[in-house]
Amino acid sequence: GELDFAIQIERPAYGPEYRIQPLGSSPLAIFVRRDHPLVDEGLSTETLLNYPTINLYISDRENLESTIQDRYRQVFGSAGMVETSHLLTALEILRETNYTLLCPAYLTRNDAATRDVVALPLPPEETTVIDYVLVAHERTQRSPLHQWLWNEIIDTVRNMRMRTVHR
């Protein structure tokens, strides 16, 4: 199959046959349970080495900058690792253990999913932002359904930004 339409982590390059629309970005954060020792200890590369991590499987992870991947692989998983592709499972594990989870800070907007979980900002020297884009192949420009969906996604993201700004 070929890509027709996707919301994804921005890749370094796209072919000329793709239309790209930036949707937003989010800094990465370390998610832990509300009473995790890191909440009081403070977050540093050294303290992270003492705790196991949950690796959230992302199918296009290889499209992240290799330096980001390499840097976090050195820190995370040294005390143990669990991998899952299911975010809600990862959050359940967090609520019951001393595991950590590196993921976009925007997830804190979902109060139900992140109940009893807090997001700790990465140390300033480790701060990383993930950019998200809407991607469509040029063949979708002839499809009224794809055009409608493209516009709905753009409008939804725009409205989400307005609600966030005016909270």
Side-chain angles (χ1 to χ4, degrees), residues 53-119:
T53 189
I54 300 167
N55 186 24
L56 192 58
Y57 175 77
I58 301 169
S59 63
D60 59 353
R61 182 184 305 270
E62 69 276 0
N63 294 313
L64 293 174
E65 293 179 37
S66 61
T67 55
I68 295 170
Q69 290 183 48
D70 293 344
R71 182 171 61 220
Y72 290 119
R73 272 197 198 113
Q74 292 170 3
V75 175
F76 292 99
S78 59
M81 183 177 62
V82 166
E83 184 171 67
T84 181
S85 60
H86 195 263
L87 177 61
L88 295 179
T89 299
L91 292 169
E92 280 301 315
I93 292 169
L94 282 184
R95 285 186 193 88
E96 303 297 326
T97 68
N98 278 342
Y99 274 77
T100 63
L101 173 65
L102 176 70
C103 64
Y106 78 82
L107 290 176
T108 59
R109 292 181 181 177
N110 187 328
D111 294 332
T114 58
R115 168 186 53 80
D116 297 326
V117 172
V118 296

Side-chain angles (χ1 to χ4, degrees), residues 3-11 14 17-25 131-137 140 145-158 161:
L3 173 71
D4 278 340
F5 206 85
I7 296 173
Q8 62 184 198
I9 294 170
E10 186 173 24
R11 295 178 178 182
Y14 292 89
E17 68 274 20
Y18 292 102
R19 176 170 55 149
I20 312 301
Q21 174 67 45
L23 294 176
S25 60
D131 296 312
Y132 298 92
V133 293
L134 178 58
V135 183
H137 192 274
T140 65
L145 181 58
H146 281 97
Q147 292 307 303
W148 173 83
L149 184 57
W150 177 277
N151 291 327
E152 287 296 308
I153 291 169
I154 302 285
D155 289 345
T156 300
V157 169
R158 186 178 301 119
R161 287 185 189 141

Side-chain angles (χ1 to χ4, degrees), residues 37 42 89 104 112-113 122 127 129 138 159 163-164:
T89 299
L122 289 172
T127 299
V129 174
E138 61 188 9
N159 290 335
R163 282 197 314 267
T164 301

